[in-house]
Amino acid sequence: MSFFANLFKFGSPNMAIDLGTANTLVYVQDEGIILNEPSVVAIETINGHKRVKAVGDDAKMMMGKTPDTIEAIRPLRDGVIADIEVAEEMIKHFIRKVHGKRNLFRYPEIVICVPSGSTSVEKRAIRDAASNAGASEVHLILEPMAAAIGADMPVTEPVGSMVVDIGGGTTEVAVLSLRGLAYTTSVRTGGDKMDEAIVSYVRRHHNLLIGDSTAERIKKDYGIAVIPEDGVGETITLKGRDLVNGVPKEITINQSHVAEALSEPIGAIVEGVRIALENTAPELAADIVDQGIVLTGGGALIRRLDEHLREETGLPVSIAEDPLTCVAIGTGRAMEDPIYRGVLMTA
């Protein structure tokens, strides 16, 4: 049996997948990250039959702009699979895209990262989706552990390290030591909740309805964790639908409005960090005073968030070198490097 398993694996490089709520990154053994696309699938319904129309970048462009026959779906919500069949199609598509037509037998070993708060049912759903997509073996790694490995933190040593991974659906706060999680908490607040907060703020204060894509663009380009020093910051022009007259309209807001809109989701993240610090063992807490907190994930790019956390906790806060790819790089390293093999789990 092992002969056939090895035959099937021949020539097919192993893969590590960061299956994120907002983006999916694929890391191929000995090659690094070779795919980074949005976790979106466009499904077309023709005569009652559903088929995949587009995946990734192409599907993301369709969001909010589709006719009745096409639906752009994000199969992951709050860091977990919400639509198992669509997620399976998405994983299959990305595996095929990475492999191309290089080999006849394509049964790689796949490592997928999962949020620390995932239940055994959710972990099994992810494992089944990868198995059905053609993986010979599926290993799981917890997201905060992958983020810490990707950020070059000393996770294998008897030293306490704290990582805050702010993703699209969840924020993972974890204290790590000796290849394990000494304490972890998963806050169901991330980039998506920030987008929602901007949409509801503009609707409430300006009677203007904007789409999720517009809100995401505002967050990326102008998102700030604290009100700017001059109380205004940069000005932003928004286009949307006027809720009073029902016609398209353009308004202008500034960065202090964006900071106000983001105050609630950012407050939830700060609270998650506080709870983790309160529950950390004294010896590990002493290490964190020296090591500080490392921010990873797309949310770490919100301007002055590190500064805000520093003020709230009194601890040194730094941002990982490449926060967007930290989890994918860490997942890949855990697959390649025998030192980290102990952190992998089977679902």
Side-chain angles (χ1 to χ4, degrees), residues 96-335:
R96 277 198 293 267
K97 193 165 182 178
V98 165
H99 274 297
K101 303 214 168 15
R102 277 192 286 189
N103 359 71
L104 177 63
F105 303 115
R106 298 199 294 274
Y107 293 89
E109 184 184 332
I110 291 182
V111 180
I112 299 184
C113 72
V114 293
S116 58
S118 300
T119 62
S120 53
V121 174
E122 288 163 348
K123 286 175 184 170
R124 205 172 303 124
I126 289 173
R127 187 201 60 199
D128 292 348
S131 297
N132 296 339
S136 61
E137 242 179 289
V138 182
H139 295 287
L140 302 180
I141 180 171
L142 294 175
E143 214 167 283
M145 178 60 80
I149 293 171
D152 289 323
M153 293 167 77
V155 295
T156 57
E157 295 166 28
V159 176
S161 314
M162 188 175 204
V163 67
V164 180
D165 179 50
I166 308 166
T170 56
T171 293
E172 306 281 325
V173 184
V175 178
L176 309 107
S177 176
L178 290 167
R179 288 195 192 88
L181 300 178
Y183 179 82
T184 178
T185 180
S186 188
V187 183
R188 297 260 159 139
T189 299
D192 289 351
K193 284 280 191 294
M194 292 181 193
D195 296 346
E196 285 168 26
I198 292 169
V199 170
S200 66
Y201 179 89
V202 173
R203 185 198 287 136
R204 205 166 54 242
H205 291 267
H206 299 277
N207 285 324
L208 188 80
L209 188 63
I210 59 169
D212 291 340
S213 302
T214 303
E216 188 185 9
R217 182 178 56 79
I218 295 164
K219 176 192 70 185
K220 282 182 176 173
D221 296 347
Y222 304 99
I224 191 164
V226 290
I227 288 172
E229 282 152 16
D230 63 356
V232 179
E234 295 176 52
T235 54
I236 308 141
T237 303
L238 290 181
K239 298 182 184 81
R241 192 176 85 230
D242 188 335
L243 289 168
V244 179
N245 304 321
V247 295
K249 182 182 159 187
E250 185 175 281
I251 63 158
T252 304
I253 62 169
N254 58 47
Q255 263 185 315
S256 68
H257 296 141
V258 178
E260 205 179 313
L262 295 178
S263 62
E264 200 178 316
I266 286 173
I269 292 167
V270 171
E271 191 55 32
V273 173
R274 272 219 194 93
I275 291 166
L277 290 168
E278 281 169 18
N279 288 281
T280 302
E283 290 298 331
L284 292 171
D287 288 339
I288 293 168
V289 172
D290 298 332
Q291 302 276 331
I293 300 169
V294 176
L295 301 181
T296 66
L301 298 172
I302 297 283
R303 283 182 243 184
R304 296 180 66 185
L305 180 59
D306 53 338
E307 213 176 288
H308 182 55
L309 259 178
R310 203 175 297 130
E311 278 172 23
E312 293 290 327
T313 60
L315 295 168
V317 179
S318 59
I319 299 171
E321 198 174 314
D322 195 348
L324 286 167
T325 59
C326 254
V327 174
I329 289 169
T331 309
R333 277 189 197 160
M335 171 183 71

Side-chain angles (χ1 to χ4, degrees), residues 15-75:
M15 272 186 225
I17 300 177
D18 170 13
L19 199 60
T21 308
N23 294 292
T24 296
L25 287 83
V26 178
Y27 180 108
V28 171
Q29 193 167 350
D30 304 324
E31 288 183 45
I33 295 170
I34 63 168
L35 185 136
N36 180 355
E37 291 199 24
S39 305
V40 184
V41 181
I43 303 283
E44 187 173 27
T45 309
I46 301 170
N47 301 329
H49 295 290
K50 293 187 173 185
R51 70 177 190 91
V52 175
K53 170 100 174 150
V55 181
D57 287 322
D58 298 337
K60 175 88 183 273
M61 287 165 71
M62 298 179 187
M63 284 193 86
K65 299 179 181 181
T66 55
D68 291 345
T69 53
I70 299 172
E71 189 185 3
I73 300 169
R74 292 177 64 179

